[in-house]
Amino acid sequence: MYNLSGNKGEWSEIYVFLRLLDIGKLYAADENLQKLNTVFYDVLKIIREEKTGTLEFVYNKESKEVTINNTDTNTNLISLPANKFKEEADELYKTIVSTNGSSFAVDKTTEFLNQIEIHSLKAKSTDKADIKIKIHDINSGFEKIQGFSIKSRLGNPSTLVNAGKTTNFVYEITGNINDDIAKKFNTCSKKFKDRFNVLEKNNCNINYIKTENDIFKDNLTLIDGDLPKIIAELLKHYYQDGYTNLVSCIEKITEKNPIGYNLKNGHPFYSYKIKSFLKECALGMLPSKVWNGKIDATGGYIIVKEDGEVLCYHIFNINEFENYLLKNTRFETASTSRHEFGSIYTENNKYYIKLNLQIRFIK
């Protein structure tokens, strides 16, 4: 028997797999993560790449059975009642919510997974898709195998944009800056808001210069040419003023309008562009890799709610997805030493500081 162990997020991927084969439907959510009872997609099959080959878990809504086929060997492995997947999903959910620790085993679930020839928690994937499902849209007749990214709210909030040196933004400090003020900034407090008060009291200005990583800059520019500067302005408000919520930060820079957009007609320039950025991060874009605009999680997002309900944001309800991302994410300060940011330094007799971008889900 293969012994499986993982964290709450990894076990949640198995939970989604089991739950979808229990109910045979994937329901959509509104922007507040509430179930849309009239919007759902029939689950025709789930496809997993396992050590024994490509497995298809075919859901039959007439017989309420799940048939497992190995398409590499063209063999039918077993047929099980969908209710068996419900039992396993219910037990796994109880274990996930009641277990503490970064990694743990679930013997009963592992025994069942071995029975259906699943030998790893995470399905093999070269993209952001955590699960591949053939769905049917009853309204349009659309049928296609699509990849979904899975996010679980059963454990600690996950990150949407991971910190790295690649996500550093470089600013020049001008005005009355000198070595004494720079030293005071670097040593006065661990709280950035206190540090930036030093610059404000001494009439120093902070001006965005560039991103530290050119690939990240070009990825942002591919989405929208103004995005590097917009995100840089948002980061300034986060570190200077302590605004962690993205909605609050966007409201702040919309008032200041640093790009100089014509706001008289009510166009939501800043929120629209940031929502596009969050969506692309969720569905495929990584800061450190050249991105060509391709969506890896072609279906969208599946979210496991605290009560175990499984809902999705499909590409068909992309507006709800973007609004959900904006409402449910926040800035976070990563390790300043690991990612080398947060202190004033000099180059060619000029003063600079790097600020880092990391975005995490609120729940």
Side-chain angles (χ1 to χ4, degrees):
M1 185 175 88
Y2 288 84
N3 296 315
L4 303 179
S5 181
N7 58 37
K8 291 192 174 189
E10 291 166 334
W11 280 112
S12 291
E13 293 184 23
I14 293 295
Y15 172 75
V16 168
F17 164 79
L18 296 171
R19 184 60 75 198
L20 292 182
L21 291 173
D22 154 31
I23 61 178
K25 289 183 176 65
L26 179 56
Y27 282 91
D30 65 15
E31 63 184 58
N32 297 312
L33 198 58
Q34 297 302 307
K35 181 179 178 181
L36 295 171
N37 289 300
T38 59
V39 183
F40 62 86
Y41 311 96
D42 286 328
V43 174
L44 302 181
K45 64 176 72 172
I46 297 177
I47 300 94
R48 285 181 63 97
E49 299 293 335
E50 292 291 335
K51 295 177 181 179
T52 55
T54 301
L55 302 184
E56 290 188 349
F57 298 80
V58 182
Y59 183 88
N60 187 319
K61 67 178 181 180
E62 302 298 331
S63 64
K64 295 293 190 295
E65 284 189 334
V66 176
T67 301
I68 306 169
N69 302 313
N70 187 322
T71 59
D72 288 357
T73 60
N74 198 28
T75 55
N76 178 282
L77 302 179
I78 191 174
S79 291
L80 295 169
N83 190 56
K84 178 61 178 173
F85 289 85
K86 179 184 187 312
E87 293 173 7
E88 296 295 335
D90 290 345
E91 287 298 317
L92 178 56
Y93 169 73
K94 292 176 185 177
T95 303
I96 294 173
V97 297
S98 64
T99 302
N100 296 319
S102 58
S103 183
F104 55 93
V106 185
D107 292 339
K108 187 176 184 305
T109 302
T110 299
E111 183 179 349
F112 177 68
L113 294 178
N114 275 263
Q115 179 186 349
I116 58 176
E117 296 201 9
I118 291 179
H119 305 308
S120 59
L121 295 187
K122 292 187 71 67
K124 294 179 182 178
S125 178
T126 58
D127 52 37
K128 278 201 169 186
D130 297 312
I131 189 170
K132 291 185 177 180
I133 311 170
K134 184 173 184 179
I135 63 170
H136 171 77
D137 179 17
I138 61 172
N139 295 312
S140 66
F142 174 87
E143 287 188 6
K144 189 177 182 181
I145 295 173
Q146 295 190 299
F148 290 81
S149 176
I150 297 173
K151 293 295 180 183
S152 174
R153 293 163 68 110
L154 302 182
N156 294 325
S158 56
T159 55
L160 178 61
V161 179
N162 289 316
K165 293 179 184 178
T166 51
T167 62
N168 283 337
F169 287 68
V170 182
Y171 305 77
E172 182 182 358
I173 302 174
T174 59
N176 294 330
I177 185 69
N178 56 44
D179 288 347
D180 290 338
I181 293 172
K183 183 178 180 181
K184 188 174 182 181
F185 176 97
N186 290 340
T187 59
C188 77
S189 172
K190 289 184 178 180
K191 294 181 179 179
F192 277 100
K193 190 173 181 180
D194 294 337
R195 289 187 173 192
F196 278 99
N197 280 338
V198 173
L199 298 181
E200 186 177 352
K201 289 178 181 178
N202 288 278
N203 297 315
C204 298
N205 301 311
I206 307 159
N207 304 303
Y208 166 66
I209 300 297
K210 63 178 182 177
T211 58
E212 184 169 2
N213 182 271
D214 286 339
I215 289 177
F216 186 38
K217 179 201 71 176
D218 291 341
N219 286 348
L220 294 177
T221 304
L222 184 62
I223 300 170
D224 187 280
D226 291 330
L227 256 182
K229 187 173 181 180
I230 291 173
I231 293 175
E233 292 296 323
L234 290 173
L235 279 179
K236 277 174 57 177
H237 286 297
Y238 166 57
Y239 285 101
Q240 283 181 309
D241 306 319
Y243 290 98
T244 60
N245 184 287
L246 265 69
V247 173
S248 299
C249 286
I250 290 171
E251 289 174 352
K252 192 73 175 178
I253 69 164
T254 299
E255 291 175 10
K256 292 192 173 182
N257 193 15
I259 308 298
Y261 294 127
N262 178 8
L263 302 178
K264 293 179 181 179
N265 296 318
H267 288 93
F269 290 103
Y270 294 100
S271 62
Y272 178 84
K273 294 170 189 287
I274 291 300
K275 283 192 287 188
S276 296
F277 165 66
L278 297 175
K279 176 193 68 180
E280 302 302 353
C281 289
L283 299 181
M285 195 271 281
L286 296 171
S288 60
K289 294 183 179 180
V290 174
W291 183 64
N292 61 4
K294 177 185 176 183
I295 295 176
D296 288 332
T298 54
Y301 247 44
I302 291 175
I303 297 177
V304 183
K305 295 178 64 175
E306 291 87 346
D307 62 359
E309 189 172 38
V310 173
L311 300 175
C312 82
Y313 290 103
H314 192 270
I315 55 172
F316 290 163
N317 61 326
I318 200 69
N319 291 330
E320 288 85 354
F321 181 42
E322 290 178 341
N323 289 331
Y324 168 79
L325 291 174
L326 184 61
K327 289 181 178 181
N328 289 276
T329 50
R330 61 180 173 85
F331 288 119
E332 183 178 67
T333 304
S335 169
T336 55
S337 57
R338 184 186 307 162
H339 305 304
E340 299 178 4
F341 73 96
S343 295
I344 296 175
Y345 63 97
T346 58
E347 283 184 2
N348 301 320
N349 297 318
K350 292 185 178 181
Y351 294 85
Y352 298 95
I353 187 171
K354 296 176 185 177
L355 300 178
N356 182 266
L357 173 68
Q358 178 161 287
I359 298 176
R360 186 177 294 276
F361 284 95
I362 295 171
K363 291 182 180 181

